[in-house]
Amino acid sequence: MTKTHHFHIPVMGIGYTIDTPIKVAHFGISSVISLGDDGLIERMRAYYCQQYNLSYTEIDNNEEDYRAKRITAYLNIVQQIVEQNFNDLKKEAFAPNTNITKYFEMLPENSLLKKDYLEMLAEPNASKKSSMQEALKNQMEMGAIDVNVMTKLDKDNYTKKGEKMPIEYNDAHAAVRGFANSNLRSGLVLSAGLSPRLYTYLSKFDCFFPDENGQLEKTIILKVSDYRSSIIQGKFLAKKGIWVSEFRVESGLNC
């Protein structure tokens, strides 16, 4: 469930959103990573592992299922970095120009958390002010790290001998698998229309089904252009036992 104090950044293309969560998620801003070019994804993982002093082992094109494995490894690194950035932010003091101050200043004016923040600033009693600051920190949340898969970008792939690989190694299928196997607890945004074979493939992963407490580890979000499209796609997934947690409307031009 999206919290009211979160911002959202729309998908803008592979290169623009590939590392957006690392830059904004610690501010409570939700964003979407486009899972397109796995070569770029692998290069970004190498870059951020170096930047944050994390261990890195290359996943090259000779490794079986390399596309899905690259995506899983990158998403896990992104989550790790975002959590580190968020925990560092929460340790900061409520002082001018600190990241924690920016977090609260960027909240929408109608946010209850923003109201509590303004009340804290106006509190004259130092002891009570400190308690209010701790309460604010306990309510802070990171932005969601959702991913986008364009359903129609599902080209067949071939072995080095020119043999066609099974359908689960197609681009979109591998991207779904990479996300499903990651540590993220977030949403899979499906765009560009209905793909029966890809939607059927979703049912192979337990993470898209409710657990014993009715909770979803990973949710399905559909980007649709109109009501008819949402009904058709939603019914198709419902027959597979998969819930659609959210519909996002966009123009046909963006699809």
Side-chain angles (χ1 to χ4, degrees):
M1 181 71 68
T2 302
K3 301 300 181 182
T4 56
H5 61 268
H6 282 175
F7 296 126
H8 292 269
I9 291 179
V11 175
M12 296 184 296
I14 298 170
Y16 293 104
T17 64
I18 191 68
D19 61 346
T20 301
I22 293 175
K23 299 175 182 178
V24 305
H26 54 293
F27 288 114
I29 301 175
S30 299
S31 57
V32 183
I33 295 175
S34 183
L35 301 181
D37 184 348
D38 58 270
L40 172 62
I41 287 172
E42 182 65 12
R43 291 194 296 275
M44 293 302 293
R45 184 169 70 92
Y47 171 78
Y48 276 108
C49 283
Q50 182 180 39
Q51 292 295 307
Y52 283 83
N53 231 7
L54 302 171
S55 62
Y56 170 77
T57 302
E58 182 184 2
I59 301 172
D60 62 32
N61 291 10
N62 295 318
E63 189 163 340
E64 184 181 357
D65 203 20
Y66 67 87
R67 174 171 168 79
K69 289 179 179 177
R70 283 175 169 177
I71 289 170
T72 299
Y74 179 67
L75 294 179
N76 289 345
I77 286 293
V78 170
Q79 183 186 37
Q80 183 178 346
I81 291 172
V82 166
E83 288 177 348
Q84 177 182 324
N85 290 342
F86 184 66
N87 289 332
D88 289 344
L89 180 149
K90 291 178 70 175
K91 294 175 183 176
E92 294 181 348
F94 283 88
N97 300 320
T98 60
N99 282 332
I100 194 169
T101 296
K102 291 178 183 177
Y103 179 103
F104 285 95
E105 287 181 343
M106 288 192 296
L107 292 173
E109 294 304 318
N110 62 352
S111 164
L112 294 178
L113 195 59
K114 180 68 166 283
K115 179 176 177 291
D116 291 344
Y117 169 71
L118 294 176
E119 289 179 356
M120 180 276 293
L121 292 179
E123 175 57 50
N125 183 284
S127 177
K128 188 174 181 181
K129 194 184 193 78
S130 178
S131 297
M132 293 173 74
Q133 290 176 350
E134 285 304 309
L136 286 172
K137 289 182 178 181
N138 290 334
Q139 295 181 71
M140 293 172 65
E141 294 183 350
M142 300 186 304
I145 307 170
D146 294 333
V147 304
N148 171 243
V149 172
M150 295 187 70
T151 60
K152 298 301 171 63
L153 297 183
D154 195 27
K155 73 175 180 66
D156 297 327
N157 286 310
Y158 296 82
T159 66
K160 290 184 176 180
K161 296 180 179 180
E163 300 170 343
K164 186 176 177 180
M165 300 175 71
I167 192 172
E168 58 264 28
Y169 291 96
N170 286 12
D171 279 3
H173 281 67
V176 166
R177 184 165 61 258
F179 170 66
N181 291 333
S182 75
N183 297 328
L184 291 181
R185 298 184 65 90
S186 57
L188 170 63
V189 183
L190 297 168
S191 62
L194 172 63
S195 171
R197 64 183 187 179
L198 184 65
Y199 283 16
T200 299
Y201 185 60
L202 296 174
S203 62
K204 294 184 178 294
F205 300 97
D206 291 340
C207 60
F208 297 121
F209 293 92
D211 61 18
E212 61 274 11
N213 298 314
Q215 299 298 310
L216 289 165
E217 178 186 332
K218 293 176 170 66
T219 60
I220 298 296
I221 301 167
L222 294 183
K223 293 183 77 173
V224 296
S225 57
D226 53 38
Y227 178 76
R228 179 175 176 273
S229 176
S230 66
I231 287 294
I232 293 173
Q233 295 186 63
K235 284 183 175 180
F236 187 94
L237 287 169
K239 289 178 180 178
K240 305 295 180 184
I242 295 177
W243 289 78
V244 177
S245 298
E246 183 182 346
F247 291 95
R248 296 181 183 175
V249 181
E250 69 173 359
S251 72
L253 178 62
N254 290 336
C255 283

